[in-house]
Amino acid sequence: MESLEEKVVAVIIVGGPAEGTRFRPLSFNTPKPLLPLAGRPMVHHPISACKKIPNLAQIFLIGFYEGKEFALYVSSISNELQVPVRYLKEDKPHGSAGSLYYFQDQIMEDSPSHIFLLNCDVCCNFPLPNMLDAQKRYGGMGTLLVIKVSAESANQFGELVADPITKELLHYTEKPETFVSDLINCGVYIFTPKIFDAIEDVYMRQEDRANVHHVTSFEALQITARSPPTDFVRLDQDILSPLAGKRQLYTYETMDFWEQIKTPGISIKCSALYLAQFRIASPDLLAKGDGTKNATVVGDVCIHPSAKVHPTAKVISC
């Protein structure tokens, strides 16, 4: 029988100012993760999904925005969901896996049995409790959320091959030049604490390679200038690819919607997807009106509480 004290934490990667360039000028004054999507900040959707995880202890937001830019929102969402949400600021980019390792002490404060890792710019239904159940069945180091897409668009993402029976990750390649598979990485993961050992192994190998040659101080400066830092670890190339086919990583396929929020145009589509989800899961978040006392509302619409809409108006979803 599982211990009721077994805890889970969630980490959401929010990036930094240099990563919101496609959203300019909108992102000049507001960090991309706080831009509105279906009436809520973009990062609100993965955070609220984490609330459904059994035995959730904490949610961490990791990025390199200034802490003051997230302070008010973090306080507000913590009170709203009654779950501790903390923002952890990197001193510099460490990579998606490196940032986990950089804040290992904070992430492991509650001695969690599992760690969710989500990217802020992912739009989906986040089947996190199902992924947790699947991860416990598989028994490996981690599980990736995956989805099938068209063969024409697959090479824009990380393509992978999984065993159709066991769901083990057999092969992984990031944005390949030639077609590998129509199954792609969704950017949502669950790991056991063993992930930190895997990241540490990468660090050690990178440091060993950096120290292989005895060079002059001038040569060392030249090598440093053209080589990635040894404390930068990418989850896809440095962890997923090498561990594929070693009975460490598994997949959980979603049949629901999924998008990567890369441009303002895609964010409009994602707003519509989330609003449609609200209709089923949280209908109280949608506006209502039949034109008698309130404006006529057609379709899935969210109206900000501060907005005033005349009763004769008609609001139609896009």
Side-chain angles (χ1 to χ4, degrees):
M1 185 175 179
E2 289 183 22
S3 171
L4 295 177
E5 299 301 316
E6 202 171 68
K7 295 182 179 179
V8 180
V9 298
V11 176
I12 302 175
I13 303 297
V14 299
E19 297 185 7
T21 55
R22 294 179 183 176
F23 280 78
R24 292 176 180 172
L26 300 174
S27 59
F28 277 139
N29 298 318
T30 303
K32 177 185 171 183
L34 298 182
L35 291 173
L37 196 69
R40 297 295 186 95
M42 185 184 298
V43 72
H44 176 90
H45 301 284
I47 290 178
S48 61
C50 290
K51 172 69 175 177
K52 300 175 184 177
I53 302 170
N55 301 321
L56 179 68
Q58 289 195 73
I59 299 173
F60 300 93
L61 309 182
I62 295 180
F64 41 100
Y65 291 99
E66 290 300 323
K68 62 183 180 182
E69 297 188 83
F70 278 84
L72 184 61
Y73 175 73
V74 164
S75 174
S76 172
I77 195 64
S78 295
N79 291 331
E80 179 183 335
L81 299 183
Q82 293 298 297
V83 173
V85 180
R86 293 167 60 184
Y87 177 70
L88 303 176
K89 181 182 181 297
E90 296 181 84
D91 58 345
K92 62 178 181 178
H94 290 88
S96 49
S99 59
L100 267 185
Y101 191 80
Y102 186 73
F103 291 110
Q104 179 179 355
D105 291 343
Q106 292 91 327
I107 293 169
M108 293 302 298
E109 279 176 356
D110 295 293
S111 301
S113 61
H114 294 87
I115 303 153
F116 275 96
L117 178 64
L118 297 79
N119 284 291
C120 177
D121 63 352
V122 166
C123 167
C124 69
N125 70 331
F126 296 105
L128 306 184
N130 292 341
M131 289 183 67
L132 178 59
D133 291 341
Q135 167 60 28
K136 289 177 179 178
R137 290 197 308 271
Y138 298 150
M141 181 190 297
T143 299
L144 297 68
L145 183 67
V146 302
I147 192 170
K148 284 188 177 180
V149 298
S150 68
E152 293 75 23
S153 62
N155 65 355
Q156 300 173 36
F157 310 100
E159 296 183 24
L160 57 97
V161 177
D163 187 295
I165 306 300
T166 66
K167 307 305 180 184
E168 180 191 354
L169 178 68
L170 300 177
H171 178 73
Y172 184 89
T173 181
E174 186 68 17
K175 298 179 180 178
E177 294 183 3
T178 57
F179 178 76
V180 173
S181 167
D182 59 357
L183 203 59
I184 66 163
N185 177 9
C186 291
V188 178
Y189 316 86
I190 179 172
F191 296 107
T192 68
K194 290 181 180 179
I195 186 64
F196 293 112
D197 296 330
I199 299 171
E200 185 172 10
D201 288 344
V202 175
Y203 274 135
M204 298 299 292
R205 289 197 299 270
Q206 291 181 165
E207 289 179 359
D208 288 344
R209 283 198 296 268
N211 295 328
V212 165
H213 301 291
H214 296 286
V215 296
T216 66
S217 56
F218 175 73
E219 289 173 325
L221 285 173
Q222 288 183 312
I223 292 172
T224 301
R226 64 174 180 263
S227 302
T230 57
D231 60 351
F232 189 93
V233 180
R234 303 159 299 182
L235 185 62
D236 38 26
Q237 292 101 320
D238 298 323
I239 302 295
L240 303 185
S241 292
L243 289 180
K246 297 183 178 179
R247 298 183 180 179
Q248 292 291 320
L249 299 173
Y250 293 83
T251 61
Y252 181 86
E253 184 177 351
T254 178
M255 303 297 178
D256 216 316
F257 66 91
W258 180 86
E259 290 286 344
Q260 198 168 20
I261 314 168
K262 288 299 184 183
T263 66
I266 294 177
S267 72
I268 294 174
K269 177 182 180 181
C270 292
S271 285
L273 290 170
Y274 277 135
L275 289 171
Q277 187 183 42
F278 289 169
R279 187 193 332 128
I280 300 169
S282 305
D284 56 302
L285 296 178
L286 297 177
K288 300 178 182 65
D290 58 6
T292 53
K293 294 182 179 180
N294 299 308
T296 301
V297 175
V298 180
D300 303 320
V301 173
C302 178
I303 299 177
H304 195 274
S306 65
K308 294 182 179 180
V309 183
H310 197 274
T312 62
K314 177 180 283 189
V315 185
I316 304 174
S317 63
C318 59

